[in-house]
DNA sequence: GGAAGATGACAAG
DNA sequence: TTGTCCTCTTCCC
């Protein structure tokens, strides 16, 4: 695989692995590990604004700030804006993975370990869901949407949830996130709640999916019609429906 | 043309 | 809690 850094910031490391055989590419939570021959691993974390575009070959001249380009005869991948792009070894990867909680996308994930953390915590469930050492991979969109789908108020302390409630939430995450991987979109609205089914005019989303509350502050809840609320929690915008999602 | 914001995470105070 | 980093898009003049 050809490895380069048109923007330059990864250039020194790219030169070290240019031409190496790619053995595997796998994710753990929000981390991507591209494993190359010789125990060399490219570790990528997109952060808030990073993007990885994977397109068919041939690769055109790079446009914009392409920090990493991976390329073979079939396809190329351009990385922009990532918070992490570094060359690491197996021990560092093990360290990163070891700090992560359970990833709903992995078949071997153990929901009981997640429940053990949540059921003992006084922290809001909306906070726990974003904690990568509890649940790996869930971000701001899935947090808002999964809580809405289960009618759980985001500020409820983790320990006030019932076990059955959590297990339902977990299996829903497994399904929703799996679908997100397959489709490349985050669609969380059940068929019976789509604007068409509710007799409302269709709407356009700017993040590539249909959602209940995420970034819909001030708009009407798709289910009950009351205004979607928002509040900044730990520096992130939180969204929920005050009527559908009870605190108690 | 410029500001604001965005699916994140960390350090500093 | 605030500031910082990374890049691009959207919206407003």
């Amino acid at each position: 695989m050809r490895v380069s850094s048109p923007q330059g910031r990864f250039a020194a490391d790219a030169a070290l692995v240019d031409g190496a055989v790619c053995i595997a590419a796998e994710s753990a939570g929000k981390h991507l590990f591209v494993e190359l021959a010789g125990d060399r691993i490219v570790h990528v974390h997109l952060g808030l604004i990073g993007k990885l575009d994977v397109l068919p070959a041939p690769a055109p001249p790079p446009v914009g700030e392409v920090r990493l380009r991976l390329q073979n005869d079939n396809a190329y991948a351009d990385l922009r804006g990532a918070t992490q792009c570094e060359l690491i070894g197996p021990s560092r990867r093990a360290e990163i993975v070891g700090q992560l909680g359970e990833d709903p996308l992995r078949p071997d994930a153990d929901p009981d370990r997640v429940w053990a953390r949540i059921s003992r915590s006084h922290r809001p469930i909306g906070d726990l869901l974003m904690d990568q050492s509890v649940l790996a991979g869930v971000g701001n969109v899935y947090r808002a949407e999964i809580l809405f789908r289960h009618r759980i108020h985001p500020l409820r302390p983790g320990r006030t949830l019932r076990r059955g409630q959590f297990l339902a939430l977990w299996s829903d995450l497994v399904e929703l996130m799996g679908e997100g991987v397959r489709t490349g979109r985050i669609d969380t609205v059940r068929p019976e709640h789509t604007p068409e089914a509710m007799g409302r005019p269709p709407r356009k989303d700017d993040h590539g999916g249909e959602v209940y509350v995420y970034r819909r502050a001030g708009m009407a809840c798709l289910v009950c019609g009351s205004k979607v609320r928002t509040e900044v929690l730990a520096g992130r915008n939180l969204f929920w429906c005050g009527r559908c999602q009870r605190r108690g």
Side-chain angles (χ1 to χ4, degrees):
Chain A
M1 191 162 62
R2 270 155 286 161
V3 184
S4 59
S5 177
Q7 171 238 42
R9 203 185 282 225
F10 187 67
D13 284 337
L16 293 176
V17 292
D18 188 25
V21 171
C22 177
I23 294 169
E26 53 183 26
S27 66
K30 297 171 180 170
H31 300 260
L32 168 66
F33 301 101
V34 181
E35 189 178 340
L36 307 171
D39 278 346
R40 295 167 298 178
I41 300 159
V42 179
H43 170 224
V44 171
H45 191 299
L46 295 178
L48 188 59
I49 61 178
K51 274 191 173 55
L52 183 66
D53 294 317
V54 183
L55 299 161
V63 176
E65 305 289 307
V66 178
R67 184 159 349 148
L68 168 70
R69 171 172 278 186
L70 302 173
Q71 196 175 355
N72 66 12
D73 292 340
N74 302 317
Y76 72 99
D78 281 352
L79 176 70
R80 296 179 174 83
T83 49
Q84 305 230 49
C85 175
E86 56 177 359
L87 197 56
I88 63 172
S91 63
R92 175 63 184 140
R93 172 172 61 181
E95 192 179 359
I96 293 167
V97 173
Q99 286 166 351
L100 296 175
E102 300 297 305
D103 181 345
L105 287 174
R106 298 190 73 106
D108 59 347
D110 178 8
D112 284 329
R113 294 192 54 194
V114 183
W115 174 239
R117 288 280 303 271
I118 290 178
S119 61
R120 273 190 246 117
S121 178
H122 292 267
R123 289 161 61 196
I125 183 63
D127 192 8
L128 290 162
L129 286 174
M130 296 277 282
D131 185 336
Q132 299 298 298
S133 75
V134 176
L135 266 134
V138 174
N140 205 19
V141 183
Y142 282 117
R143 151 174 88 170
E145 293 301 303
I146 207 77
L147 289 173
F148 179 88
R149 282 169 63 98
H150 293 260
R151 307 295 190 265
I152 297 171
H153 194 290
L155 298 182
R156 269 181 63 179
R159 53 180 298 150
T160 68
L161 269 68
R162 294 183 302 278
R163 180 178 162 82
Q165 215 169 12
F166 163 74
L167 289 175
L169 190 148
W170 169 268
S171 60
D172 202 19
L173 272 179
V174 170
E175 191 171 329
L176 274 186
M177 290 172 69
E179 191 190 311
V181 170
R182 287 190 296 277
T183 63
R185 299 161 45 93
I186 299 181
D187 290 301
T188 61
V189 179
R190 301 178 195 279
E192 64 266 34
H193 293 144
T194 59
E196 301 76 58
M198 300 287 282
R200 295 180 187 156
R203 63 200 176 83
K204 230 172 45 180
D205 284 275
D206 54 4
H207 66 278
E210 290 286 347
V211 292
Y212 282 107
V213 291
Y214 175 69
R215 286 230 265 172
R216 296 194 66 243
M219 301 169 73
C221 169
L222 298 186
V223 174
C224 78
S226 74
K227 278 190 180 178
V228 173
R229 302 188 186 197
T230 185
E231 185 177 295
V232 175
L233 180 65
R236 309 301 303 283
N237 292 317
L238 176 66
F239 305 90
W240 77 97
C241 171
R243 192 187 296 177
C244 291
Q245 294 167 266
R246 310 281 179 192
R247 282 198 89 146

